[in-house]
């Protein structure tokens, strides 16, 4: 119901059918939840008739923010990246947000998050030449890479090189490198039997293999990090 409240406040017009499809439930379930939300005092308006929709009064506060562990980890790492980029704007409250997120974790989970943060590297801004050829990587590839990185799992990818050739690779995503706005994977490439750097936006597809790897120190990848443009 909190997710419904957020959506109804953000979207100017949502039908019950659209809400049901978005959340993967029946229209009857949506109608029941809306009724419960009204009983709790939420000001939900409805337009009757064909094409009618529902909305939450924009003056209504959504309430506290509940995050799953994985969502909190992603947000905490994003904050750490923003802080390390030394942006002068919109960082005044990030420290407070970060402390609240960290306080919500157990000591064991804090250690895990710190290990993940240490595997994210921040480099110089990518050259204009590199930025000109950049595209947004497919969402499904990003999600698979994200899971492989967090779980230290070998990833099977199809990779399109700068010259347009595509090859199949099995890689170990040890580190992520941001050379704004381009993300790279610092990996051990099974095909080349050595360290390689891959641009995320050139990954055509990704598949988890179920095989896990042991993290190598950053020094093992330093030869591959020497190229300023990293245009593999």
């Amino acid at each position: 119901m909190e997710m419904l409240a957020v959506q109804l406040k953000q979207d100017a017009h949502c039908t019950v059918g659209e809400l049901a499809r978005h959340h993967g439930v029946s229209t009857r379930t949506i109608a029941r939840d809306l009724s419960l939300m009204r009983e709790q005092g939420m000001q939900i308006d409805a337009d009757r008739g064909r094409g009618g929709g529902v909305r939450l009064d924009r003056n209504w506060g959504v309430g506290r923010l509940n995050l799953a562990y994985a969502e909190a980890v992603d947000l905490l790492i994003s904050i750490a990246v923003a802080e390390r980029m030394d942006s002068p704007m919109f960082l005044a409250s990030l420290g407070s947000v970060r402390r609240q997120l960290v306080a919500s974790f157990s000591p064991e989970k804090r250690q895990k998050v710190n290990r993940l943060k240490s595997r994210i590297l921040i480099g110089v801004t990518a050259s204009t030449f590199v930025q000109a050829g950049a595209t947004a990587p497919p969402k499904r590839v990003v999600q698979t890479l994200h899971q492989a990185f967090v779980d230290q799992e070998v990833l099977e990818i199809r990779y399109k090189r700068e010259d347009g050739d595509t090859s199949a690779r099995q890689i170990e995503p040890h580190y992520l490198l941001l050379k704004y706005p381009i993300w790279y994977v610092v990996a051990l490439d099974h095909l080349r039997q050595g360290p390689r750097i891959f641009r995320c936006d050139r990954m055509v597809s990704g598949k988890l293999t179920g095989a896990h790897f042991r993290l190598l120190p950053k020094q093992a990848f330093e030869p591959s990090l020497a190229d300023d443009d990293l245009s593999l």
Side-chain angles (χ1 to χ4, degrees):
M1 287 192 289
E2 288 186 359
M3 292 170 62
L4 273 178
V6 171
Q7 186 175 358
L8 289 174
K9 189 172 183 180
Q10 290 179 340
D11 294 342
H13 182 279
C14 288
T15 67
V16 171
E18 289 169 345
L19 292 171
R21 286 191 295 273
H22 179 81
H23 295 282
V25 297
S26 67
T27 56
R28 186 174 182 178
T29 296
I30 294 294
R32 181 196 63 202
D33 289 344
L34 292 175
S35 177
L36 288 172
M37 290 163 71
R38 288 190 180 95
E39 290 177 7
Q40 292 175 0
M42 293 188 186
Q43 187 63 48
I44 297 177
D45 300 322
D47 299 325
R48 297 187 180 277
R50 187 173 183 177
V54 291
R55 66 180 63 84
L56 178 63
D57 190 317
R58 290 186 179 274
N59 294 320
W60 180 268
V62 173
R64 71 181 186 277
L65 182 64
N66 289 326
L67 296 176
Y69 169 67
E71 294 172 328
V73 169
D74 285 355
L75 180 56
L76 187 58
I77 291 176
S78 297
I79 290 173
V81 169
E83 289 177 330
R84 287 164 61 185
M85 290 182 68
D86 295 325
S87 171
M89 300 295 290
F90 308 114
L91 294 184
S93 301
L94 285 188
S96 173
V97 175
R98 172 172 45 77
R99 287 190 292 273
Q100 292 181 60
L101 285 171
V102 170
S104 69
F105 294 156
S106 67
E108 180 182 356
K109 288 183 177 179
R110 289 179 200 172
Q111 291 180 359
K112 182 178 180 181
V113 172
N114 286 333
R115 287 195 295 270
L116 286 174
K117 285 163 56 178
S118 70
R119 294 171 58 200
I120 298 178
L121 315 176
I122 306 296
V124 298
T125 301
S127 69
T128 54
F129 173 78
V130 171
Q131 292 188 45
T135 58
K139 184 177 181 180
R140 63 184 183 280
V141 174
V142 172
Q143 292 172 334
T144 305
L145 172 61
H146 178 281
Q147 185 175 344
F149 175 74
V150 171
D151 296 339
Q152 292 182 211
E153 186 170 343
V154 177
L155 184 64
E156 188 176 289
I157 64 171
R158 288 198 62 80
Y159 188 76
K160 187 176 183 180
R161 300 194 316 176
E162 187 176 14
D163 59 11
D165 286 347
T166 303
S167 60
R169 308 285 186 98
Q170 280 199 348
I171 64 171
E172 300 174 5
H174 287 257
Y175 299 91
L176 294 178
L177 169 65
L178 174 61
K179 301 189 73 173
Y180 184 82
I182 312 297
W183 280 97
Y184 298 84
V185 184
V186 183
L188 188 68
D189 182 5
H190 288 192
L191 179 65
R192 304 300 184 190
Q193 291 297 306
R196 289 291 187 277
I197 309 293
F198 298 93
R199 273 177 53 169
C200 293
D201 61 322
R202 290 193 181 146
M203 292 184 178
V204 180
S205 64
K207 179 181 179 183
L208 299 171
T209 64
H212 295 269
F213 62 87
R214 180 173 294 182
L215 186 67
L216 295 176
K218 296 174 187 175
Q219 292 80 358
F221 299 92
E222 283 180 354
S224 296
L225 294 171
D227 183 7
D228 284 342
D229 277 349
L230 301 175
S231 56
L232 175 64

